[in-house]
Amino acid sequence: MTTPVIIDTDPGIDDAVAILCALKSSALRVLGLTTVAGNIPLARTTENAGRILALAGADMPVVSGADRPLVRAPFAATDVHGGDGLGGVALPPPRAPARTDAVGWIARTLRDHPEGQIDLLVLGPMTNIALLLREDEDAARRVRRIVAMGGAIAEPGNVGPRAEFNMAADPEAAEAVFAAGLRLTLIPLDVTRKVRAGPCEVAELAASLREDARAAAALIEAYFQSTDGGEIPASRPLHDPCVMLFEEAPALFGCEDMHLSVDLSPPRAGGALLEGPHPVRVARRVDGSRALALLMERLMAP
Ligand code: BDR
Ligand code: CA
């Protein structure tokens, strides 16, 4: 069984590793990448998405979306991802120009497929998905489910005491997506911090004969250089790849059904997850070593 997926993303070092993982998984068929402002501004997340596809020799569309959060000013994560979003790792230029209108493209793609077939894999702020719900809710309701990296449940946040970047960058969008009642699984920091790459994984990837595996090594190495409040420097959590690993191997994760809402307070406090009315399935546990082993298998694969 191959699941058709749309990846909504703000690459982003860990987004790049996640996209490479998805492209190499025979369980997933990536229909296209839609981009959003998040880790860095939209023009660069879009260019990076094209560069990642060029590296992987893949030809699906890249479609740019929202260049800012729904209501608040953007804040970026260049301290983690570098000014270019890829930690200075040079990837080949995009093979084709990106399209525009991610929301329209997602809606058309959902209508072109049977209802309940496509999964939306969300690796950045939820702005594009909130706009899809606002502009074409019927199309949005054709998704099978959304799997999104975001939030922190029983863990400290990474941009505020309880706030995680993707939620905090556009809390109003996350709240709108939670409130829509679509089938949604959230992969929070509680889980992603348990799937960590260290020097051994970098060395294994760097020794590969494959250019994309060596690029993954360089990306993870660059991630080591970044600052990310309180993270152990000897290894780095691979946040966004966990979405792909969940999509391919959900048995590696333990989920709970929770009721949540998103704190809409000012920046940095905003974005914390609160108990609330919206049903959300949340990954609470992961077999970190098996998840990392699966990721390595994918990144090393032809
Ligand atoms: C999330 O924030 C971004 O910086 C990463 O790409 C990931 O999506 C982790 O909090
Ligand atoms: Ca991301």
Side-chain angles (χ1 to χ4, degrees):
M1 270 289 288
T2 304
T3 307
V5 300
I6 294 168
I7 302 176
D8 189 66
T9 178
D10 62 336
I13 294 174
D14 59 326
D15 302 69
V17 175
I19 293 164
L20 290 173
C21 173
L23 291 170
K24 290 174 161 224
S25 168
S26 56
L28 309 181
R29 183 161 57 90
V30 181
L31 302 175
L33 307 183
T34 54
T35 57
V36 65
N39 287 319
I40 46 168
L42 181 70
R44 196 64 208 229
T45 60
T46 305
E47 181 185 327
N48 288 349
R51 288 180 179 272
I52 296 157
L53 292 187
L55 170 72
D59 275 325
M60 60 282 299
V62 172
V63 194
S64 68
D67 65 357
R68 55 187 303 111
L70 290 186
V71 294
R72 47 186 88 197
F75 77 84
T78 47
D79 55 332
V80 177
H81 300 271
D84 67 353
L86 295 175
V89 177
L91 301 185
R95 288 176 167 182
R99 306 182 196 176
T100 54
D101 187 19
V103 168
W105 184 83
I106 296 172
R108 283 193 300 282
T109 306
L110 287 167
R111 285 215 167 79
D112 286 348
H113 286 73
E115 189 164 351
Q117 198 179 79
I118 294 178
D119 284 359
L120 275 180
L121 307 182
V122 181
L123 311 182
M126 289 182 156
T127 323
N128 286 340
I129 317 306
L131 289 170
L132 173 68
L133 279 159
R134 189 187 283 177
E135 290 171 22
D136 196 339
E137 187 176 340
D138 287 347
R141 296 206 173 278
R142 296 175 69 84
V143 296
R144 187 175 75 125
R145 68 173 175 191
I146 297 173
V147 182
M149 190 280 136
I153 304 290
E155 282 265 326
N158 58 3
V159 294
R162 299 224 42 242
E164 180 279 330
F165 178 81
N166 288 342
M167 299 285 106
D170 197 345
E172 286 77 14
E175 174 67 14
V177 174
F178 284 22
L182 301 175
R183 216 169 138 218
L184 168 67
T185 301
L186 203 59
I187 315 286
L189 292 176
D190 309 58
V191 157
T192 65
R193 284 186 174 136
K194 295 190 173 66
V195 182
R196 311 187 70 94
C200 290
E201 285 74 33
V202 171
E204 193 179 334
L205 290 163
S208 170
L209 296 177
R210 292 192 56 84
E211 189 191 355
D212 49 13
R214 292 198 305 277
L219 288 162
I220 297 170
E221 181 106 61
Y223 216 25
F224 288 151
Q225 314 306 324
S226 66
T227 63
D228 189 1
E231 300 290 3
I232 306 162
S235 67
R236 296 293 294 173
L238 294 170
H239 304 294
D240 291 337
C242 287
V243 170
M244 308 314 175
L245 299 171
F246 178 85
E247 186 71 0
E248 177 167 355
L252 297 179
F253 296 77
C255 292
E256 281 173 29
D257 291 321
M258 302 184 73
H259 284 83
L260 300 174
S261 67
V262 184
D263 184 350
L264 302 181
S265 310
R268 307 255 166 191
L273 299 180
L274 307 171
E275 267 186 49
H278 313 307
V280 180
R281 175 155 284 209
V282 183
R284 299 296 307 271
R285 294 170 298 283
V286 63
D287 183 333
S289 52
R290 283 180 63 204
L292 184 61
L294 178 59
L295 177 63
M296 288 297 290
E297 196 182 318
R298 290 291 164 266
L299 294 175
M300 298 287 286

